[in-house]
Amino acid sequence: MKPTHIADRRAREELSRLLERFARRRRPIRVVKKSEYWHQRAAGAALWAVTFGGQNKYLTHYVTTLGHTIYVPDDFDGWEPTRALEILRHEAVHVAQFERYGWVVMVLFYGVLPLPMGLAWFRARFEWEAYEETLRAVAEIEGLAAARAPALRAEIVRRFTGPDYGWMWPFPRTVERWIDEALVRIEGELARKAPSTPSADTL
């Protein structure tokens, strides 16, 4: 695992570059405060109701992407750069999904089909694509050991199987398998990107 100060410095630089890329896109990506928008406040209340209080931190702890807008909690500017970068990379995947599939497909397949709660296969697959990017970002910024950490694994499994996303995929072993497969791919990517070490006869 990289030393914390090195990871934070690199994350701060990467975060600045990512926000610049967001702003320069043909369709810029906006990062705005969630509580300033009535529809996000309404969504928070609705989620609290349908999850019987299980999702009670929608406005204060969670980031949401709709189209080309990323809605963040009010304290987002004070987040550690590593955390902010990893989450924005996750959310950028959702922006790409909106661009690929359009609003109608995203709303129907993410929110409704095949079931809105309990067995939301499409929501799980959309989220898995984004969580794989989360693992990739953690591995690149904090190191592969951090991406393999049991605590991160448990948190991802909890989110898929718990009330955060409406119990979207209640099969933890499936999520565990997705994580294992992703980590193998990510480790291979990092190995290919790593500079080769000169052999002894070339020194």
Side-chain angles (χ1 to χ4, degrees), residues 16-60:
S16 178
R17 285 193 288 268
L18 180 64
L19 291 171
E20 289 175 3
R21 289 199 298 273
F22 282 0
R24 291 199 308 266
R25 294 173 92 252
R26 185 178 62 84
R27 286 286 305 276
I29 298 173
R30 298 188 307 144
V31 180
V32 301
K33 299 297 174 60
K34 181 179 283 191
S35 66
E36 296 176 359
Y37 292 82
W38 69 268
H39 51 82
Q40 290 300 295
R41 296 193 299 271
L47 287 169
W48 179 86
V50 300
T51 61
F52 309 104
Q55 173 52 285
N56 59 6
K57 298 178 180 179
Y58 178 77
L59 289 177
T60 57

Side-chain angles (χ1 to χ4, degrees), residues 51-143:
T51 61
F52 309 104
Q55 173 52 285
N56 59 6
K57 298 178 180 179
Y58 178 77
L59 289 177
T60 57
H61 288 67
Y62 290 88
V63 179
T64 302
T65 294
L66 295 172
H68 292 81
T69 303
I70 300 174
Y71 298 89
V72 298
D74 287 348
D75 64 349
F76 180 78
D77 292 339
W79 286 10
E80 291 294 325
T82 300
R83 180 187 179 198
L85 173 62
E86 291 164 359
I87 287 179
L88 287 183
R89 283 183 55 170
H90 173 114
E91 298 303 324
V93 172
H94 291 314
V95 172
Q97 290 167 345
F98 271 96
E99 292 180 334
R100 188 184 316 143
Y101 301 114
W103 274 81
V104 173
V105 169
M106 287 296 292
V107 170
L108 283 177
F109 283 71
Y110 187 99
V112 180
L113 300 175
L115 293 172
M117 295 175 62
L119 196 63
W121 188 87
F122 289 105
R123 185 186 312 147
R125 293 308 301 177
F126 285 138
E127 282 298 338
W128 176 248
E129 185 180 357
Y131 273 101
E132 181 165 348
E133 182 61 19
T134 296
L135 288 169
R136 182 173 291 105
V138 171
E140 291 176 357
I141 300 300
E142 301 182 63

